[in-house]
Amino acid sequence: MRKFLGYILTPIFFICFSIALILFHPIQWLCLKFGGYAAHKKSVDMLNACLVACNYTLFNRTKFIDNKNLPLGQPIIFVANHQSTFDIPPLIYFLRRFHGKFISKIELMNANIPSISFNLKYGGAANIDRKDSKQAISQILKLANNMKENNWSAFIFPEGTRTKTGKMKPFSVGGIATLLKKNPNALVVPIAINGSYKMVQWGMFPLRPFTPMSWEVLNPLDIEGKSPEDIVKMAEDIIREKVEGIN
């Protein structure tokens, strides 16, 4: 029955999702052209609020457990596990006060996806070519410098790819190490994402309705005197305990 309802509700979800992307593409352009970064960011925040709301067309619950004790005006590296494409809008919207930027594949920037490609190109993301290590490092360094100069934050998925089963893959160190090298005083904050992989367990059509999903922002890690490898392992262990305890 759930899958049958998925066939009915998924087109509604994608219609709403597509309308939001198409509608906000010119809005982003206008905001960036006439209002600069601040106006553009507000338009991106509004876009992602709409994308989060699309989940309700599937009767999917989006539970975001924020951490209000995190300070503003300081770079933060948010380290999260990665379960689906739909992990991203809640992170952008609910943590919008931190000006978080993503490390993304350059293919997405070049794909001409309404709103998404535009934001990746002009919103401050690090768009990396996985086949060109020199380009990838330069993009991450550029993001790291922007974090330092503007007190921006970064979202990073150290697994590299999405899991299809909810079981976490080992975290890689590279991107986090580069960000920390330029921002040694940055906070490292784990985020545990649970349940979003179930939304796409049948692929992109049909999507799974009536699926509870949660994002939990955990406490900053104590990274003083620790190597990047130790920091990443700490983040992985803490997130794994949260995720695998539920799955």
Side-chain angles (χ1 to χ4, degrees), residues 175-192:
I176 297 173
T178 303
L179 295 176
L180 281 172
K181 186 175 182 179
K182 288 288 184 178
N183 296 274
N185 296 322
L187 294 180
V188 178
V189 177
I191 299 178

Side-chain angles (χ1 to χ4, degrees), residues 207-241:
L207 296 173
R208 186 178 187 265
F210 303 99
T211 301
M213 302 178 290
S214 69
W215 288 251
E216 183 175 0
V217 183
L218 306 173
N219 290 324
L221 301 179
D222 179 8
I223 65 173
E224 186 175 355
K226 295 182 174 64
S227 68
E229 290 78 10
D230 290 338
I231 294 168
V232 171
K233 186 65 168 63
M234 286 172 58
E236 179 181 348
D237 289 345
I238 290 171
I239 295 172
R240 188 180 299 277
E241 182 179 356

Side-chain angles (χ1 to χ4, degrees), residues 9-142:
L9 297 174
T10 298
I12 300 172
F13 172 89
F14 279 122
I15 288 170
C16 294
F17 202 89
S18 299
I19 288 173
L21 294 181
I22 293 169
L23 177 64
F24 274 92
H25 189 88
I27 292 174
Q28 283 192 67
W29 184 87
L30 289 169
C31 287
L32 182 63
K33 185 172 180 63
F34 296 106
Y37 170 80
H40 177 237
K41 184 186 179 302
K42 288 182 180 179
S43 71
V44 172
D45 294 341
M46 292 173 60
L47 164 64
N48 282 278
C50 293
L51 298 182
V52 171
C54 289
N55 287 323
Y56 297 114
T57 64
L58 293 166
F59 297 93
N60 286 350
R61 181 186 178 197
T62 301
K63 181 181 180 182
F64 198 94
I65 305 171
D66 204 343
N67 188 334
K68 297 297 185 181
N69 295 321
L70 297 179
L72 296 173
Q74 179 179 358
I76 298 177
I77 302 171
F78 291 103
V79 181
N81 59 308
H82 199 13
Q83 295 193 344
S84 84
T85 303
F86 304 109
D87 292 342
I88 295 172
L91 294 175
I92 295 175
Y93 177 67
F94 289 107
L95 296 175
R96 59 192 181 277
R97 65 191 184 276
F98 297 110
H99 296 256
K101 312 302 175 186
F102 281 88
I103 297 175
S104 176
K105 295 183 293 185
I106 197 170
E107 290 86 353
L108 284 176
M109 185 189 74
N110 294 331
N112 293 321
I113 303 170
S115 285
I116 293 174
S117 296
F118 186 91
N119 183 44
L120 289 174
K121 187 173 184 178
Y122 297 106
N127 300 295
I128 64 171
D129 184 348
R130 293 183 178 181
K131 299 177 183 178
D132 186 343
S133 59
K134 185 179 292 187
Q135 184 272 353
I137 292 172
S138 69
Q139 281 288 303
I140 296 173
L141 283 173
K142 182 179 177 181

